[in-house]
């Protein structure tokens, strides 16, 4: 190849490069502007829609964090403070006392506090709860549904794709903007669903 | 009055069985309650009354063993109750009591997420890191600097941020946002997607050099890199395109984020992960010792985009700071096989031959694209089966073909079917939803196949082309700007003596 030809070749290559670079820059810019118009300034967070959840138990096993970032949330506003709590006692429980054999929760994460006759307050100990949803199912079936599974933001690492969401049979997980960070059923302190 | 119902066997309810799992009878008793407790709002007296009646009923149930009563009696009792009180399912079954002891309800145990400000701070850190590493590579030409940047990224974007959100995964958010108007992409994620690409367009893949947490962790394991055969490298290099296509397809149809699901290193960064993920990640790191950065070169779908941008980069790094003296010292220095050796003796082929080749390529490439699109369309149903809704619709269809749900035998059904049955959605509605998704996959399959056909076509074309090159140069697309080769070049920066 002669010098001239080579230079011609190089300058043509240069020109093509410039053209392609411009095209790429324009498409990146266009894509950016197009998406930014509709983008949200808030971060996206994962939450469970408690009205969809069927307490399948996968929340306890599919989270990338162990124990799961999903915990039971007790919505006190909805609680009947029942003595015989469907979320606390095992179905076969013979007596209503706090013996481990009577408790539904596999980790003993629910604390039963006496309030006044005949009412008891049930408190979830987050450190023990593994998000298995057994109590939630019990409360849903026999009580008011005040026990609900929910993603705990302080533990959740906010995966771009929640590993539980991909496995949830009820499609109960959703991305919410950070201003709506707590969704729950019938809860006057948070956002209702 | 309240204490009489102790010791009852709550679960011995005579109503039809519904739900499986622990609560074999839960649906039954639930139905009882919903009918027994028709609570309106504000009717304090009635609330108390109902509460007591229901408790008495339960006591009766245990004392007299309700289940031994003739089942025919039970609907009668229910009808009695229903006729007295209006039915309101949305209200609470047991109203919140009014405490007489002055008990104050506790505040709810709500948790707070990381603040939005911190998310923006991450974008800021990314910008600073990108600028710093670009400066280190292009101006300082410092491999050491790049290494320390890698360590920083492993610590910050890796262990501290636990790998999310990363630029690689963000491409799925882009696809999701483009095709699903309902999804509002956070600005921070958009920034994570765009910033490395913009830098690549000007300075090459400096993001890969030491800012990407996935690349960085592999990079520090590249101890004994072997050179791969060029044809093998080319073949394996096609995988990222397939992965990119699939990832975009599944993200655009809101099926799944496959890149995140199969991210091999995020398990390390979160310290705990599924066992299989740890094994996969471990294998990748072991491989990294001999085949440098296997994920980056043969898997990473974002790398494809960076590769395209970097090809046209204006200020891409060069091996030599000055002029190449053809000493060949750097020839084998690149652990990623990204250095191209000079090709000065490009065979000058006769015009006729090159025209013929051009024509045949011009025919082959579109033909491949069309063939790909056709294949993609053929396989759209297989692709769509990954979507949970399509899968569910398929299963429900089979069940309905075989005579519908067996209410008495729910033990063996999958959780998905169980959840569907409990949601009470009509089968037709489900089929209609699945139909829409299938249509999306049909279109998506065509695009995916066409895209892959083009990629194969252009790879073929690339193989038959020779580019004139005098010096040792990094392949701008494949070079990860890791700055290793620079150390091998004996040429000094400041040779200016020239005539
Ligand atoms: S995976 Fe879904 S259905 Fe199962 S417990 Fe969690 S939220 Fe509920
Ligand atoms: S039963 Fe499961 S979800 Fe409920 S408190 Fe115990 S561990 Fe948590
Ligand atoms: S986003 Fe990740 S950490 Fe949070 S609940 Fe889902 S899987 Fe667990
Ligand atoms: S090729 Fe992909 S994984 Fe590797 S460093 Fe670049 S962006 Fe990260
Ligand atoms: S900077 Fe050099 S050694 Fe590193 S990837 Fe590029 S060509 Fe290879």
């Amino acid at each position: 190849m002669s010098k001239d030809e080579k230079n011609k070749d190089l300058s043509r290559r240069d020109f093509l490069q410039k053209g392609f670079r411009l095209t790429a820059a324009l498409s990146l810019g266009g894509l950016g502007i197009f998406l930014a118009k509709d983008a949200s300034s808030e971060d996206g967070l994962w939450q469970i829609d408690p009205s969809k959840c069927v307490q399948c138990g996968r929340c306890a096993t599919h989270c990338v964090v162990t124990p799961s970032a999903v915990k039971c949330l007790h919505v006190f506003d909805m609680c009947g403070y029942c003595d015989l709590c469907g979320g606390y006692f095992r179905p076969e429980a013979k007596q209503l006392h706090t013996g481990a054999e009577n408790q539904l929760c596999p980790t003993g994460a629910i604390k039963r506090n006496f309030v006044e006759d005949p009412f008891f307050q049930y408190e979830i100990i987050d450190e023990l709860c593994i998000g298995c949803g057994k109590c939630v199912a019990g409360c849903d079936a026999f009580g008011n549904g005040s026990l609900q599974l929910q993603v705990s933001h302080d533990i959740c690492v906010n995966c771009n794709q929640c590993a539980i969401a991909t496995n949830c049979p009820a499609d109960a997980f959703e991305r919410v903007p950070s201003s709506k960070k707590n969704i729950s059923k019938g809860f006057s302190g948070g956002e209702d669903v | 009055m309240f204490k009489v119902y102790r010791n009852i066997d709550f679960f011995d309810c005579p109503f039809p069985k519904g739900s499986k799992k622990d609560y074999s009878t839960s649906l039954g008793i639930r139905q009882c309650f919903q009918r027994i407790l028709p609570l309106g709002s504000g009717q304090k007296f009635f609330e108390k009354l109902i509460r007591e009646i229901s408790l008495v009923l339960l006591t009766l149930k245990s004392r007299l063993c309700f289940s031994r009563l003739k089942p025919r009696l039970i609907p009668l009792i229910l009808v009695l109750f229903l006729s007295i009180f209006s039915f309101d399912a949305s209200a609470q079954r047991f109203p919140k009591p009014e405490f007489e002891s002055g008990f104050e309800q506790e505040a709810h145990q709500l948790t707070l997420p990381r603040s939005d400000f911190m998310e923006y701070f991450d974008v800021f850190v990314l910008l600073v890191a990108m600028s710093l590493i670009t400066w280190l590579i292009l101006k300082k030409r410092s491999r050491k600097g790049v290494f320390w940047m890698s360590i920083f990224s492993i610590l910050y974007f890796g262990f501290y941020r636990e790998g999310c959100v990363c630029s690689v995964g963000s491409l799925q958010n882009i696809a999701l946002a483009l095709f699903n108007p309902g999804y509002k992409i956070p600005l921070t994620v958009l920034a994570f997607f765009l910033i490395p690409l913009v830098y690549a367009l000007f300075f090459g893949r400096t993001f890969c050099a030491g800012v990407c947490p996935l690349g960085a962790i592999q990079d520090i394991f590249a101890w004994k890199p072997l050179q791969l055969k060029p044809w093998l490298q080319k073949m394996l290099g096609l995988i990222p395109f397939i992965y990119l296509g699939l990832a975009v397809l599944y993200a655009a149809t809101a099926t799944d984020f496959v890149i995140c699901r199969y991210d091999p290193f995020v398990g390390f960064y979160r310290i705990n992960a599924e066992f299989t993920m740890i094994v996969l990640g471990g294998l990748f790191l072991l491989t990294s010792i001999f085949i440098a950065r296997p994920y980056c070169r043969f898997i990473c779908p974002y790398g494809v985009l960076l590769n395209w941008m970097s090809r046209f980069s204006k200020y891409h790094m060069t091996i030599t700071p000055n002029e190449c003296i053809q000493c060949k010292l750097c020839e084998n220095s690149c652990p990623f096989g990204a250095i191209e050796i000079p090709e000065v003796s490009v065979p000058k082929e006769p015009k006729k031959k090159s025209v013929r080749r051009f024509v045949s390529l011009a025919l082959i490439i579109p033909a491949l694209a069309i063939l790909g699109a056709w294949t993609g369309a053929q396989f759209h149903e297989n692709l769509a089966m990954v979507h949970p809704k399509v899968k569910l619709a398929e299963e429900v269809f089979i069940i309905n073909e075989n005579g519908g749900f067996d209410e008495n035998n729910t033990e063996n059904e999958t959780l998905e079917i169980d959840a569907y049955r409990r949601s009470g959605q009509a089968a037709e509605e489900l089929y209609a939803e699945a139909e829409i998704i299938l249509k999306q996959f049909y279109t998506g399959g065509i695009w995916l196949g066409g895209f892959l056909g083009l990629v194969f076509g252009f790879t073929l074309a690339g193989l038959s082309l020779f580019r004139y090159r005098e010096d040792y140069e990094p392949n701008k697309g494949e070079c990860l700007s890791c700055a290793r080769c620079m150390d091998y070049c004996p040429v000094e920066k400041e040779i200016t003596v020239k005539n």
Side-chain angles (χ1 to χ4, degrees), chain A residues 45-48 59 62-71 150-153 155-166 173, chain B residues 162 164 270:
Chain A
L45 304 166
W46 289 102
Q47 286 280 282
I48 295 172
C59 272
H62 281 73
C63 183
V64 298
V65 179
T66 2
S68 175
V70 172
K71 304 274 172 217
Q150 196 47 275
V151 179
S152 263
H153 292 304
I155 307 168
C156 175
V157 294
N158 202 12
C159 313
N160 195 17
Q161 171 67 56
C162 172
I164 314 173
T166 44
F173 276 74
Chain B
E162 302 186 300
C164 262
R270 291 179 183 149

Side-chain angles (χ1 to χ4, degrees), chain B residues 317 319 333-336 338-339 474-475 478-486:
Chain B
M317 56 80 60
I319 302 174
S333 65
C334 179
F336 317 113
I339 293 180
N475 176 323
E478 280 164 26
C479 166
L480 303 171
S481 297
C482 75
R484 282 191 178 86
C485 52
M486 291 173 168

Side-chain angles (χ1 to χ4, degrees), chain A residues 10-26, chain B residues 201 311-315 476:
Chain A
L10 285 182
S11 72
R12 197 185 59 204
R13 221 185 268 179
D14 227 35
F15 176 74
L16 277 180
Q17 282 253 333
K18 260 201 194 118
F20 279 126
R21 192 180 315 134
L22 196 68
T23 320
L26 285 180
Chain B
L201 188 56
R311 269 163 205 254
F312 313 120
S313 58
K314 190 159 189 186
Y315 310 102
K476 277 178 162 188

